[in-house]
Amino acid sequence: NTIMDNMMNLEMLFWAAKNGGNKSLYDIAVRHAEKTMENHFREDGGCYHVAVYDTISGDFILGCTHQGYADNSLWARGQAWAIYGYTMVYRETGDKTFLRFAEKVTKCYLDRLPKDMIPYWDFDDPMIPNALRDASAAAIVSSALLQLSKLEDNESLSRRYYCTAVKMIKEL
């Protein structure tokens, strides 16, 4: 499973549960977000592009990448999807576990962001500062931060997220 598939598709499940679907769709989305949180991330909050599971047991085997620089690197677009996804899961559930996780994955990204607010395609590309940039990742994160700033229960983080989003948008 890729980080994009895991996070971006959940919004449709939440929507369907609220708009004529049944509660099982909501429950599936929450369980999937929990499983992704458990297996798709390193200790620092950085995500793997792909989580490989045993097809028989369902056990997590390893985290790797097909689009980032390396299995242990921080691919900007994947991290952007994680920030957006966990912000959305918190919005839909109100479960502070997801808010705290959104904060963690956001911190991992923002701590490594260049001054101009547009990430390198992978934060660990050895070609930095001559590496490619990822404007799409910046757009995804700015959208997530605007939403997260409204949901955040820590006023200082709320202000930081809002101001950072505005800077990103201006730079874009």
Side-chain angles (χ1 to χ4, degrees):
N1 290 341
T2 70
I3 190 65
M4 184 196 117
D5 294 339
N6 284 333
M7 298 315 304
M8 300 307 283
N9 296 335
L10 296 183
E11 196 160 24
M12 288 187 294
L13 287 172
F14 285 121
W15 182 89
K18 288 191 294 192
N19 292 279
N22 61 40
K23 182 163 178 348
S24 68
L25 297 173
Y26 175 94
D27 295 338
I28 289 167
V30 171
R31 282 194 312 273
H32 200 72
E34 290 168 340
K35 186 77 163 174
T36 301
M37 190 167 53
E38 180 182 324
N39 294 318
H40 235 102
F41 294 87
R42 294 180 285 274
E43 191 63 35
D44 69 352
C47 69
Y48 299 108
H49 171 227
V50 177
V52 179
Y53 293 91
D54 183 288
T55 58
I56 306 298
S57 69
D59 292 339
F60 174 73
I61 297 172
L62 66 93
C64 60
T65 191
H66 296 297
Q67 294 183 344
Y69 174 73
D71 290 346
N72 63 347
S73 68
L74 188 63
W75 177 48
R77 185 93 45 98
Q79 197 71 17
W81 286 323
I83 294 165
Y84 182 91
Y86 280 100
T87 297
M88 177 272 306
V89 172
Y90 173 64
R91 181 193 73 214
E92 296 298 324
T93 66
D95 182 338
K96 297 280 185 174
T97 303
F98 296 121
L99 175 59
R100 300 288 89 89
F101 199 73
E103 292 167 350
K104 181 177 183 174
V105 298
T106 299
K107 181 178 183 342
C108 180
Y109 179 97
L110 294 180
D111 284 354
R112 300 186 68 189
L113 198 59
K115 288 185 190 296
D116 69 5
M117 311 306 280
I118 309 301
Y120 294 98
W121 76 280
D122 191 297
F123 288 97
D124 296 298
D125 184 334
M127 296 295 293
I128 293 172
N130 299 315
L132 296 173
R133 299 300 190 98
D134 192 337
S136 294
I140 294 165
V141 171
S142 63
S143 174
L145 291 178
L146 288 173
Q147 191 169 154
L148 188 55
S149 73
K150 293 177 185 175
L151 300 170
E152 180 57 60
D153 60 5
N154 176 313
E155 193 172 320
S156 175
L157 282 178
S158 175
R159 278 193 309 277
R160 179 180 184 208
Y161 295 155
Y162 180 80
C163 292
T164 301
V166 169
K167 288 178 189 174
M168 284 178 183
I169 292 165
K170 286 180 180 178
E171 188 64 34
L172 285 168

